[in-house]
């Protein structure tokens, strides 16, 4: 469905280029949910924006971004615009900022549908109500404005809006971060139902490993703009290979936590990323060679790869 | 009514004692609207909350956004005015102390905010910021003295190398470092009580533990008492001695943290615990979630505020007219029932809810048909709501659905904790 090959993104700033993503290669199969996890500044949101081609101007993008075999980076604007929305849709962390406060919910839907497809207003309206009802948004509120809805309801409207064109890939960037736990659980349930009913692929970008464990099939762990580990959720949570993955998992505070663990140091400045393995300054197992050699992403178990020179020792 | 845990009546080791605290915020209403409204609307942010903190304990106030936990933290420090109730600090009623008397008190009660970036003055260096309270409270005047104390406290909170960081601006520090600076500023006055409002919520997972450990170390060293405010049940479980679970301005369950996590009693506590994602893909399980979202605090639900969402709700929990209209709205999303409802009951807008009574105008010839239809709607409604129906009557050309008054609700002692729920 979606494949990135050596995708790199460099943001231009007055102080130089920020290496936000560095040679990312991963794929999302049809009907699959892939989680992208990492901490602030690891490049996970940049990846979502790159897939939707909504990076700021003057950003340097190299590598390939293939959607069903078509290279998105090579498409012209019009073709790209068609593909987005119809085939690839995005939902954001904060639905308030993505809905126009001056437009009713109905107007949002009509605009979206008619920007992409030539359908009568009547049919567009029918599809709007169908999409909203499937998200459990009462039809009677179709003429309300965004501010008249609660946070969870707004996020459900956003999801309905993203799905009204029945895309085959949904990119969700922290879709539940601004919501409370109960509403978060409700939204995650909805996303899973959708995946099952429409065989849609889902790329879930989050910092919350608990959410990944609950909904994803596979997961890519990002650190400082690089994929450090990639594999099935069960493998990664039960048998992580990369030291960063292991330490990150140990640092989660959950209901069974008996002692607090953390990772020393802080994520690096991506203007000047560390040489060699980017995690080496914080890695308790780092050896001198880690400063020099960039570890390749290697397969250590079937379907599970990690970018660590000493991965073998951790298998 | 002030409610206390049995056996911990106000005593010498009670550092903070909050009794029946209410904080209402007025809602801004446009001038024209004010002419038509007889009642002034208020957000019932905190609505009758009682708890106490013993010296040296960590007390967790837990709840979702809008439950009033942050308002309580601020009211305790007198950063917002209490509408009613009492706040006693070290046995002294501080609820209405004049500001001039509150100031010296703040030496002994400090706060750490959620957003470390917003809580540090961007124009002050880290060192100046941390030392500022010393100057405000007149504890040190000479620059050299302030600097010495600040450097010592910076070492204590792990802001090292302290000489180098002293002159840095907040923007040059990472989130974790900024939060350490905020902690340093809070402890430099050697307070007794620290209100920590979501102190790690904005930090990355990998550094949260370090900041929490620091807070625990400082507590041991200086015998601090924490009022720990959080939405994160997992962190609270690890940290707190006692907790209070809040929902829409009320404490629904409070007691020793260990007991509540082991066997939560209030349906809301159970729902919260169940909703937390478990970081183990082998333990995926379907969840029974409460429906809907937290209603607004301007017109909180009658009876138990959780009743419209509660999976264990009873007929006496506070069913009211609004719940009936919500149920009608829910039925509208069902194509078949929705169409029939619309035909007979009319648009939802003609129905008006007023406390226990929901009504609509009705022509005399339609009374029988509508009454019978409303009865059939109640037959299909969830049993607790249906059983709460008192009467369907006709008055002054209106057809009115009347609910029974809810049963009185008060915190009850259940297995060593207080629970506000009619199930017990």
């Amino acid at each position: 469905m979606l494949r990135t090959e050596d995708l790199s993104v460099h943001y231009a700033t007055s102080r130089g280029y920020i290496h936000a993503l560095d040679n990312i290669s991963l794929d999302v199969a049809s009907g699959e949910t892939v989680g992208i996890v990492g901490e602030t500044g690891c490049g996970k949101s940049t990846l979502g924006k790159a897939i939707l081609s909504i990076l700021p101007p003057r950003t340097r993008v190299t590598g390939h971004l293939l959607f069903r075999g078509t290279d998105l980076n090579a498409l012209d604007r019009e073709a790209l615009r068609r593909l987005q929305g119809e085939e690839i849709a995005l939902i954001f962390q904060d639905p308030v900022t993505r809905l126009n406060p001056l437009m009713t919910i109905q107007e949002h839907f009509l605009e979206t549908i008619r920007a992409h497809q030539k359908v009568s207003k009547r049919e567009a309206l029918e599809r709007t109500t169908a999409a909203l009802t499937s998200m459990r948004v009462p039809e009677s509120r179709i003429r309300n404005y965004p501010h008249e809805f609660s946070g969870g309801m707004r996020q459900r409207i956003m999801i309905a809006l993203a799905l009204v064109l029945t895309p085959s890939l949904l990119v969700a960037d922290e879709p539940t971060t601004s919501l409370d736990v109960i509403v978060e659980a409700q939204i995650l349930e909805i996303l899973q139902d959708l995946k099952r009913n429409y065989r849609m692929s889902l790329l879930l970008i989050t910092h919350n490993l608990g959410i990944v464990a609950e909904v994803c099939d596979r997961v890519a762990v990002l650190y400082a703009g690089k994929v450090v580990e990639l594999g099935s959720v069960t493998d990664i949570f039960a048998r992580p290979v990369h030291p960063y993955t292991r330490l990150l998992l140990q640092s989660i505070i959950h209901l069974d936590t008996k002692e607090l663990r953390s990772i020393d140091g802080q994520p690096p400045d991506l203007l000047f990323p560390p040489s060699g393995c980017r995690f080496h300054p914080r890695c308790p197992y780092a050896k001198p060679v880690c400063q020099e050699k960039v570890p390749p992403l290697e397969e250590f178990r079937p379907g599970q790869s990690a970018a660590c020179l000493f991965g073998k020792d951790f298998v | 009514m002030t409610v206390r845990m049995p056996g911990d009546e106000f005593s010498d080791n009670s550092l903070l004692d909050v009794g029946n605290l209410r904080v209402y915020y007025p809602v801004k209403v446009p001038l024209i609207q004010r002419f038509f409204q007889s009642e002034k609307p208020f957000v019932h942010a905190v609505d009758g909350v009682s708890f106490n903190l013993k010296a040296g304990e960590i007390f967790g106030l837990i709840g979702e956004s809008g439950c009033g936990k942050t308002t309580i933290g601020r009211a305790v420090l007198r950063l917002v005015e209490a509408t009613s109730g009492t706040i006693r600090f070290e046995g002294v009623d501080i609820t209405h102390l004049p500001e001039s008397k509150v100031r010296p008190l703040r030496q002994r009660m400090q706060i750490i905010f959620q957003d470390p970036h917003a809580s540090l003055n961007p124009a002050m260096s880290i060192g100046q910021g941390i030392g500022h309270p010393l100057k405000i409270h007149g504890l040190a005047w000479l620059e050299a003295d302030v600097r010495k104390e600040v450097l010592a406290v910076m070492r204590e909170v792990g802001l090292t190398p302290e000489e180098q960081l002293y002159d840095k601006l907040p923007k040059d520090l990472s989130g974790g470092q900024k939060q350490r600076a905020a902690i340093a500023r809070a402890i430099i006055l050697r307070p007794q009580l620290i209100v920590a409002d979501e102190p790690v919520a904005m930090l990355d997972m990998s550094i949260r533990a370090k900041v929490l450990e620091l807070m625990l170390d400082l507590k041991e060293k200086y015998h601090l008492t924490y009022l720990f405010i959080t939405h994160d049940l997992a962190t609270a479980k690890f940290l707190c001695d006692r907790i209070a679970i809040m929902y829409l301005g009320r404490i629904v369950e409070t007691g020793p943290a260990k007991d509540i996590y082991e066997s939560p009693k209030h349906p809301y506590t159970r729902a919260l615990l169940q909703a937390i994602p478990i970081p183990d893909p082998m333990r995926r399980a379907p969840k029974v979630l409460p429906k809907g979202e937290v209603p607004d605090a301007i017109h909180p639900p009658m009876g138990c505020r959780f009743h419209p969402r509660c999976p264990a709700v009873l007929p006496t929990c506070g069913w009211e007219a609004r719940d009936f209209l919500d149920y009608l709205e829910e039925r509208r999303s069902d194509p078949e029932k929705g169409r029939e409802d619309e035909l007979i009951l009319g648009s939802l807008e003609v129905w008006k809810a007023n406390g226990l009574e929901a009504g609509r105008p009705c022509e005399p010839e339609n009374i029988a048909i509508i009454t019978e239809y409303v009865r059939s709607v109640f037959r299909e409604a969830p049993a607790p709501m249906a059983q709460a129906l008192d009467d369907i009557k006709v008055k002054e050309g209106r057809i009115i659905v009347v609910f029974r008054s809810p049963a009185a609700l008060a915190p009850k002692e259940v297995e060593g904790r207080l629970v506000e729920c009619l199930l017990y």
Side-chain angles (χ1 to χ4, degrees), chain B residues 56-72:
Chain B
E57 79 171 338
I58 305 183
F59 187 85
L61 271 182
I62 305 168
E64 298 180 280
S65 43
C67 72
K69 56 190 192 300
T70 292
T71 300
I72 292 182

Side-chain angles (χ1 to χ4, degrees), chain A residues 39 150 180 186 213 216 255 264, chain B residues 65 206 210 237 284 290 293:
Chain A
E39 297 176 273
S150 62
D180 284 317
Q186 290 168 348
C216 293
L255 288 174
D264 285 328
Chain B
S65 43
S206 71
K210 276 266 157 63
K237 182 181 181 190
R284 283 181 191 176
E293 289 172 65

Side-chain angles (χ1 to χ4, degrees), chain B residues 121-132:
Chain B
N121 186 335
M124 266 192 201
S125 76
I126 292 298
Q128 281 176 319
I130 295 172
H132 202 54

Side-chain angles (χ1 to χ4, degrees), chain A residues 39-40 133 138 140-141 150-153 156 180-186 189 210-211 213-214 216 233-234 237 251-258 260-264 266 282, chain B residues 64-65 174 177 204-210 212-213 233-235 237-238 261 268 271-273 275-284 287 289-293 309 329 333:
Chain A
E39 297 176 273
T40 314
T133 329
S140 54
R141 302 195 58 185
S150 62
M153 197 79 106
R156 276 185 277 159
D180 284 317
V181 274
I182 291 176
V183 181
E184 171 179 273
Q186 290 168 348
E189 235 168 44
I211 292 178
E214 295 221 335
C216 293
V233 176
T234 34
F237 278 77
S251 71
I252 310 173
I253 301 167
H254 51 93
L255 288 174
D256 301 325
T257 298
K258 297 280 179 285
L260 296 174
R261 302 271 198 96
S262 53
I263 308 178
D264 285 328
Q266 320 153 20
R282 301 174 75 188
Chain B
E64 298 180 280
S65 43
S174 70
Q177 284 176 317
D204 270 320
M205 208 38 103
S206 71
I207 52 172
R208 275 186 196 179
K210 276 266 157 63
L212 292 174
E213 261 164 14
L233 282 136
T235 306
K237 182 181 181 190
F238 186 82
Y261 283 98
Y268 178 65
L272 266 186
L273 278 168
I276 307 175
I278 303 167
D280 182 355
M282 306 306 277
R283 280 167 59 193
R284 283 181 191 176
K287 296 174 174 181
L289 296 169
K291 51 185 183 175
E293 289 172 65
R309 309 173 67 199
E329 182 166 351
S333 41

